[in-house]
């Protein structure tokens, strides 16, 4: 398996532009998470899905952020309009429910998207 | 809201030294505790997932313990090597939202020759 695949690796855009980040989770994983990494706040959970359904989006900073998971193999995180304070590394991660009933095992992270909003 | 704290923030040791870090988390409604290793320019990789009080896990020279009653976990590295240099993250979840991990800000370890 290729692991969690994110694209693009780097994105540089101007303030006000729309940004779309993409993620392909590991096949068979039930959960998909979007995290944001900043120096000030570390790794913050933005939103997560279970079986393609958004479960908790309380970490989404504001209405400019939206996320979708149209099928089990693809998710997007969109920022519209983007602002300089959105500059960060955005990680996608996936996981699964273990046979022992642990809600999920370890997270498998993608390589991240480094976003710079000028 | 969970508050996960890690200490120290950074650590500089010499090759061959053994070291340990601490992760503190709210003990009420505890569900799971994760440790991840994050090398520069890479993505975090899981080391351990622990759920039971008294759990001890080991992977090579790295081991971890868990005390859910007092809300802390220790990560130990025996005989540190330069390739152990990384940021070590812990994260915990509670029974109300077992799928939702809250991460600490990490301990950055630098191992020199």
């Amino acid at each position: 398996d290729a692991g969690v695949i994110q694209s693009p690796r780097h994105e540089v855009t101007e303030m006000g532009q729309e940004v779309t980040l993409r993620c392909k989770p590991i096949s068979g994983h039930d959960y998909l998470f979007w995290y944001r990494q900043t120096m000030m706040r570390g790794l913050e959970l933005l939103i997560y899905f279970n079986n393609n359904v958004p479960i908790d989006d309380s970490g989404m900073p504001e209405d400019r952020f939206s996320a979708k998971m149209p099928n089990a193999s693809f998710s997007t995180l969109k920022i519209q309009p983007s602002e300089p304070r959105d500059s960060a590394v955005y990680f996608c991660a996936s996981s699964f429910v273990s046979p022992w009933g642990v809600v999920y095992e370890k997270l498998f992270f993608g390589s991240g998207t480094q976003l710079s909003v000028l | 809201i969970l508050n996960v704290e890690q200490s120290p923030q950074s650590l500089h040791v010499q090759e061959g030294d053994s070291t340990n870090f601490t992760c503190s988390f709210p003990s009420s409604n505890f569900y799971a505790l994760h440790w991840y290793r994050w090398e520069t320019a890479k993505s975090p990789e899981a080391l351990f997932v622990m759920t039971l009080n008294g759990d001890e896990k080991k992977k090579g020279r790295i081991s971890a313990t868990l005390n859910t009653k007092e809300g802390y976990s220790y990560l130990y590295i025996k005989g540190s090597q330069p390739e152990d240099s990384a940021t070590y993250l812990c994260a915990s979840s509670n029974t109300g939202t077992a799928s939702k991990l809250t991460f600490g800000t990490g301990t950055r370890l630098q191992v020199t020759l």
Side-chain angles (χ1 to χ4, degrees), chain A residues 106-107 109, chain B residues 34-37 45-46 87-89 101 103:
Chain A
K106 58 187 176 181
L107 295 180
F109 283 85
Chain B
H34 293 221
W35 280 101
Y36 290 83
R37 182 170 175 273
E45 288 187 358
T87 296
Y88 292 83
L89 296 169
L101 279 178
F103 279 84

Side-chain angles (χ1 to χ4, degrees), chain A residues 61-117:
Chain A
E62 47 200 272
D63 292 345
R64 297 184 298 107
F65 286 69
S66 62
K68 293 182 180 178
M69 193 166 183
N71 56 62
S73 58
F74 184 66
S75 177
T76 59
L77 178 68
K78 189 174 290 188
I79 309 172
Q80 166 64 17
S82 57
E83 297 182 4
R85 59 191 167 123
D86 301 330
S87 298
V89 180
Y90 291 81
F91 284 102
C92 174
S94 70
S95 192
F96 60 95
V97 177
S98 80
W100 299 275
V102 175
V103 172
Y104 61 93
E105 292 282 353
K106 58 187 176 181
L107 295 180
F108 292 78
F109 283 85
S111 52
T113 294
Q114 172 78 60
L115 173 65
S116 298
V117 183

